[in-house]
Every structure is written in structure tokens, then in C-alpha cells.
Amino acid sequence: MNETHLCLVLGGARSGKSRHAEALVEALPAPWRYIATAQAFDEEMKARIRHHQARRGTGWETVEAPLDLVQALEESGDLPVLIDCLTLWLTNLLLNKTPIDPATDRLMAALKARRGTTVLVSNEVGLGIVPENVLARDFRDAAGILHHRLAAHAHAVHFMVAGIPMIVKKST
């Protein structure tokens, strides 16, 4: 990947998205920045976070940014950045009653302004049934719209299936 590379890694739960994204970033010279959006509200989520942290080697710096990804990106300078994950970020925005459109506009502007490599991880949630409640439908729609916008701007889009990356988009 070159210094202005933006890669979107999509997939379902336990598809290998994070491991693949970490390997993409680790192909670049360290140090690397991991921008984490998860919030540990219960023991199960705390264990998931510890698992993710334990498998990353030296060279990684973790920044927690459950809501303000733009500030975290701006503070990252030209470092290679991995954001994991955008669907958790959207969930945090929805639960915080933060307007989605302005937040995603700010994120897109920050990504377009970056000079360093950025790898984004997000769950593809549009392949299932139509959710039965308004909040879940709003989330699914917001994720789909965000993915459209990111994919249009990204140099590469990878879709993970059973730990195998499928290259959906690759710029030349």
C-alpha cells in the first residue's frame, strides 16, 4: 500500500476482518495506530477487547475513540491507521443520539484530507433480513450509506468470507 491508500475491509461477524486489516497495516513500517471504537459495557465485550489487544504485537499504539473518529484521525498525522470498527462507531452515535449525516460528513472529510494509509473495518449488515424495529433499520441503513460513500472514495475494498479476502475493488 502507498502512503495515500484507503482500504475498506467489510465482512460478517467472525469473518476475519480485523486480522486481515491488521496484516495490511503491519505490511507498512511501524509505528501503527489502532483506533478502537468499542466500548466495554460488559464482561464479554471486555474479553473481546483483551483478545484483540493480545494478538497485536509491538509497534501498535491504541487510541480509544468511540465517538470522535475525526479527532483521532487528525491526531494520527501520517501514521498508518486501522479503525476497528465503523459499525460499532455508528452504534455509539445512534445510542448517543448524535446526528449520523453530519458525523459521517466529518469522517469523510477527515479521510480525504489524510496523507497516511488508513484501513477501515466494518460489518456488512445488509445481507440479512429486514430488521423488525426502527432503530435496527436505521442502523442498517446508516451502515449501508456509509459503506457506499467509503467504497466510492477507497482505493481498495476487501470483503471477507470465512477468513478469505475477496477483492471487490482495487485501484491501479
Side-chain angles (χ1 to χ4, degrees):
M1 288 193 287
N2 64 37
E3 286 302 305
T4 59
H5 197 273
L6 177 66
C7 181
L8 174 61
V9 179
L10 297 168
R14 294 290 190 225
S15 63
K17 299 178 303 293
S18 296
R19 282 188 190 273
H20 179 65
E22 290 166 6
L24 291 172
V25 173
E26 288 175 340
L28 301 168
W32 314 292
R33 178 152 302 162
Y34 188 104
I35 301 177
T37 61
Q39 297 183 81
F41 292 123
D42 57 39
E43 288 305 315
E44 187 270 342
M45 187 55 118
K46 288 177 185 175
R48 284 179 182 264
I49 291 169
R50 282 191 303 272
H51 174 74
H52 271 251
Q53 291 170 335
R55 75 170 179 231
R56 289 193 304 271
T58 60
W60 285 99
E61 173 190 328
T62 300
V63 173
E64 294 184 14
L67 293 169
D68 198 349
L69 286 181
V70 172
Q71 180 179 345
L73 279 171
E74 289 170 349
E75 292 173 355
S76 297
D78 293 342
L79 290 176
V81 168
L82 167 58
I83 298 175
D84 196 355
C85 96
L86 292 173
T87 42
L88 284 175
W89 175 69
L90 282 174
T91 299
N92 297 338
L93 295 177
L94 284 167
L95 294 177
N96 197 49
K97 301 194 185 320
T98 301
I100 301 297
D101 290 340
T104 56
D105 288 345
R106 287 183 60 230
L107 176 61
M108 292 301 300
L111 289 168
K112 289 176 183 176
R114 269 191 56 78
R115 291 182 306 177
T117 295
T118 309
V119 178
L120 309 165
V121 173
S122 198
N123 290 291
E124 179 51 69
V125 297
L127 298 174
I129 61 172
V130 175
E132 67 180 47
N133 65 71
V134 173
L135 180 60
R137 287 189 298 273
D138 286 348
F139 168 75
R140 183 218 39 210
D141 293 349
I145 292 166
L146 178 61
H147 293 161
H148 277 229
R149 293 182 71 187
L150 291 168
H153 178 64
H155 299 94
V157 178
H158 298 185
F159 186 70
M160 298 300 297
V161 178
I164 300 168
M166 298 173 59
I167 307 305
V168 177
K169 177 181 178 182
K170 182 178 180 181
S171 295
T172 55

